[in-house]
Amino acid sequence: MTMIRCISPVDGSVYAERPAMSYDDAATAIGRARAAQKSWAKRPLEERVSLVLKGVARLNEMAEDVVKELAWQMGRPVRYGGEFKGFNERSNYVASIAHDALAPLLIEKSDKFERYIKREAHGVVFVIAPWNYPYMTAINTVAPALMAGNTVVLKHASQTLLVGERMVRAFNEAGVPEDVFMNVFLDHDTTSKLIAAGSFNFINFTGSVEGGRSIERAAAGTFTGIGLELGGKDPGYVMEDADLDAAVDTLMDGATYNSGQCCCGIERIYVNENLYDAFVEKSVAWVSNYKLGNPLDPETSLGPMAHKRFAATVRAQIEEAVAKGAKALVDPKLFPADDGGAYIAPQILVDVDHSMSFMNEETFGPAVGIMKVKSDEEAIALMNDCKYGLTASVWTQDAERAARIGDEIETGTVFMNRADYLDPALCWTGVKETGRGGSLSVIGFQNLTRPKSYHLRKSF
C-alpha cells in the first residue's frame, strides 16, 4: 500500500500520513459524486449557497486547530492566524453574486418565442489544490463550483495532507452531503489515470508548470475543461513619483510573507533611478526586522519554507546570482535560525540582471532582486522579459499612467499601489506559462458552468 506523507518543515518529522486510494476505490467514489450531482443541482440555488456558507462558518469554528496544523504542515507562523480573512472574503463575495452570475441571459420573451441562455453545471469538478495557501486556493473553486450545482472532488498536495480532509469534514458537518463534496488521497499515477479515463467534467489545478503539463497530457483527447494557475515571477515597478515608504512596506511584505511562497508574491522589483538608493536602503532595513524561527512560537514572524528542497532552490539561485556579480545585502548573522535546511534567511539582491535564474525563474522563497531603471519603456521591457504572467504591481500617483503601462504589461492582473492581493470581484487569471482560465468573479462562475441555449417557439 502506497502511503502519502507530510514531512513537517518544523522539525523534519512525519507529521501525517494517509494511504493512497487505489484506482478502483477512487473511481467508485467519483461515481458516487456523479450520481449525486443531478439531485444537488436541482436544489434551489439559495439552499446550495446557504450550505456552502455554513461549511465556511463551521471551518471557522475549527480555527485553533487549523492554524496549528498549517504551522506543522507548511511552516506558516501561528501569529498570522491562518487564511480565514481571505477564505471568508472570497466565500462571501461569490455567494453575494451567485444569483446574478448564474441567472439566465434572456434574449426574447414574447407571444411567439422564448429565447434564453442558461448556465448549467459541468457535473463533477476535480480541484487539485497546492500547499502554499491550501485553504484560500481551494475555496476559489470549491465555493462557486458547489453553488453552481457541481459536485466537487478535492485533492490536496501531500505537504498539506490534512487540509482537504478537514475542509470536507467542516462542510459535511454543516450539511453538504458527503457525496457532493469529498476529499481523496491520490498518488500522481492514479490521478493521471483517472483524468485520462474522463472521470471529471472540469479540472482546476493550482501548482507548478510541470504539474500543469502533466494534467494537460493526461486529459488529452478527453475534451475535459481545464483551469490552470501555474508558475509566477511577479514584478513591481516603482516610479519616480511613488510613495516610497508605502512601496517599500507593501513590496517587501509581498516578497517575503509566507516565506515568499505566494503565487502572486513579488519576485523582482524595478525602481526609477531617482528613488533607487533610498528604496534599497529602506527595503534592507525592513526585511532585517524579521524573526526567523519555529512557526509555533508566537514571536516568530518568518517560519521555515515548506520543505528543505524548496529552500535549496532559493539558495542555489542566490549563489548563482552572486557568482555572476550580484550583491546580497541582508546580513545572514541577523538570522541564526537559518540551518541550511528549511529555515532560510530572507535576502535582497542588487546588481542583478536577467541572465541570472534569480531574475527569470520562479524563486518562490523569501528573496527578491532589485534593479535600477531610467524610464517606463525600460521597466515595461524588463517586466515582459519573462515566461510567466500572473500579476504586476506599479507604484505612482498617476492612475492614467498606471493604466497605460498596465496595457503594455503581459500579465493577468495589474495593481497600482498595492500587491499580493486577490480581489474576489475581479477574475484571477494568468498568461503565458502561468496558465489559462480564471477563477472568482462572474467569470469564475462562467468557467464552472456551460452555456445551454433555449429556443422555444410558442406559435406559428
Side-chain angles (χ1 to χ4, degrees):
M1 178 182 294
T2 300
M3 298 298 291
I4 301 176
R5 293 184 173 87
C6 167
I7 306 299
S8 174
V10 175
D11 59 6
S13 65
V14 177
Y15 177 67
E17 59 182 0
R18 296 289 187 273
M21 298 174 72
S22 69
Y23 177 87
D24 290 341
D25 287 346
T28 298
I30 296 164
R32 294 197 304 270
R34 187 168 299 285
Q37 190 270 322
K38 294 293 185 183
S39 59
W40 172 250
K42 288 179 180 178
R43 294 198 189 194
L45 173 60
E46 293 75 13
E47 181 180 341
R48 298 195 303 266
V49 170
S50 176
L51 285 171
V52 170
L53 292 181
K54 287 179 180 178
V56 170
R58 180 69 186 104
L59 187 69
N60 275 258
E61 293 170 356
M62 303 174 176
E64 185 176 354
D65 291 332
V66 167
V67 170
K68 290 180 181 177
E69 286 175 355
L70 284 174
W72 277 105
Q73 290 176 95
M74 52 76 65
R76 185 182 302 125
V78 295
R79 69 181 290 162
Y80 297 121
E83 302 169 23
F84 288 101
K85 181 179 179 181
F87 185 84
N88 295 339
E89 180 183 36
R90 299 172 192 189
S91 303
N92 290 332
Y93 182 78
V94 294
S96 74
I97 67 168
H99 181 271
D100 290 341
L102 296 170
L105 177 62
L106 180 63
I107 307 301
E108 178 184 358
K109 187 173 184 178
S110 67
D111 292 341
K112 292 186 177 181
F113 290 98
E114 283 190 35
R115 295 183 295 141
Y116 54 93
I117 303 167
K118 291 182 68 175
R119 304 302 311 184
E120 189 167 89
H122 285 304
V124 180
V125 172
F126 187 30
V127 178
I128 308 174
W131 51 263
N132 62 320
Y133 281 94
Y135 285 101
M136 288 199 293
T137 52
I139 204 64
N140 290 351
T141 304
V142 169
L146 289 172
M147 291 175 187
N150 299 284
T151 52
V152 175
V153 177
L154 175 62
K155 174 192 177 297
H156 254 286
S158 60
Q159 195 63 51
T160 44
L161 189 63
L162 303 183
V163 170
E165 188 175 70
R166 181 169 287 281
M167 189 172 172
V168 167
R169 172 185 158 193
F171 276 58
N172 292 163
E173 289 179 359
V176 177
E178 293 182 1
D179 290 342
V180 168
F181 184 30
M182 64 176 64
N183 178 64
V184 293
F185 298 107
L186 301 173
D187 60 28
H188 294 315
D189 185 57
T190 302
T191 299
S192 294
K193 288 180 179 177
L194 289 166
I195 293 171
S199 303
F200 309 103
N201 300 101
F202 188 84
I203 301 165
N204 191 87
F205 172 78
T206 305
S208 70
V209 173
E210 284 308 309
R213 290 192 175 111
S214 295
I215 299 295
E216 287 198 326
R217 284 194 295 268
T222 66
F223 307 113
T224 304
I226 300 175
L228 302 171
E229 187 204 312
L230 310 175
K233 192 73 180 175
D234 289 7
Y237 171 35
V238 181
M239 303 176 212
E240 73 283 351
D241 65 338
D243 182 319
L244 181 60
D245 290 334
V248 168
D249 185 63
T250 301
L251 291 172
M252 288 303 106
D253 182 68
T256 56
Y257 182 77
N258 204 40
S259 297
Q261 299 165 134
C262 302
C263 301
C264 57
I266 296 295
E267 297 210 355
R268 51 200 176 104
I269 301 172
Y270 307 100
V271 183
N272 180 274
E273 59 186 354
N274 295 314
L275 289 183
Y276 177 81
D277 289 340
F279 182 89
V280 170
E281 181 181 0
K282 286 176 176 287
S283 294
V284 172
W286 196 101
V287 168
S288 297
N289 283 325
Y290 269 120
K291 180 182 177 182
L292 176 67
N294 189 317
L296 297 162
D297 181 350
E299 297 300 314
T300 293
S301 54
L302 190 70
M305 293 190 67
H307 197 284
K308 61 183 181 181
R309 72 175 182 275
F310 305 148
T313 296
V314 179
R315 290 188 176 96
Q317 286 191 3
I318 291 173
E319 289 173 5
E320 182 219 33
V322 170
K324 288 185 174 182
K327 293 179 182 178
L329 299 184
V330 178
D331 185 355
K333 294 179 182 178
L334 296 173
F335 301 93
D338 188 327
D339 62 355
Y343 291 84
I344 180 172
Q347 191 53 267
I348 291 173
L349 298 187
V350 294
D351 295 342
V352 289
D353 61 51
H354 282 216
S355 71
M356 303 168 183
S357 62
F358 186 74
M359 293 298 286
N360 58 52
E361 293 289 345
E362 188 170 38
T363 302
F364 219 61
V368 66
I370 304 175
M371 288 182 67
K372 183 189 301 184
V373 294
K374 295 181 178 180
S375 66
D376 291 349
E377 290 74 21
E378 182 183 4
I380 292 167
L382 288 167
M383 286 189 280
N384 286 340
D385 183 27
C386 182
K387 60 187 176 183
Y388 306 111
L390 184 58
T391 77
S393 173
V394 298
W395 291 79
T396 177
Q397 304 298 321
D398 186 341
E400 290 186 4
R401 182 184 179 189
R404 187 170 63 251
I405 291 171
D407 289 342
E408 301 297 322
I409 305 172
E410 297 161 356
T411 189
T413 294
V414 178
F415 290 116
M416 172 183 162
N417 298 336
R418 75 177 314 171
D420 193 20
Y421 172 71
L422 194 160
D423 182 343
L426 300 176
C427 183
W428 193 243
T429 185
V431 299
K432 298 191 278 192
E433 289 193 14
T434 289
R436 60 188 172 94
S439 62
L440 296 174
S441 76
V442 170
I443 293 172
F445 274 109
Q446 292 174 356
N447 286 335
L448 290 165
T449 55
R450 59 177 176 268
K452 189 173 186 177
S453 295
Y454 288 76
H455 192 145
L456 310 179
R457 185 173 189 175
K458 296 190 285 187
S459 64
F460 290 89

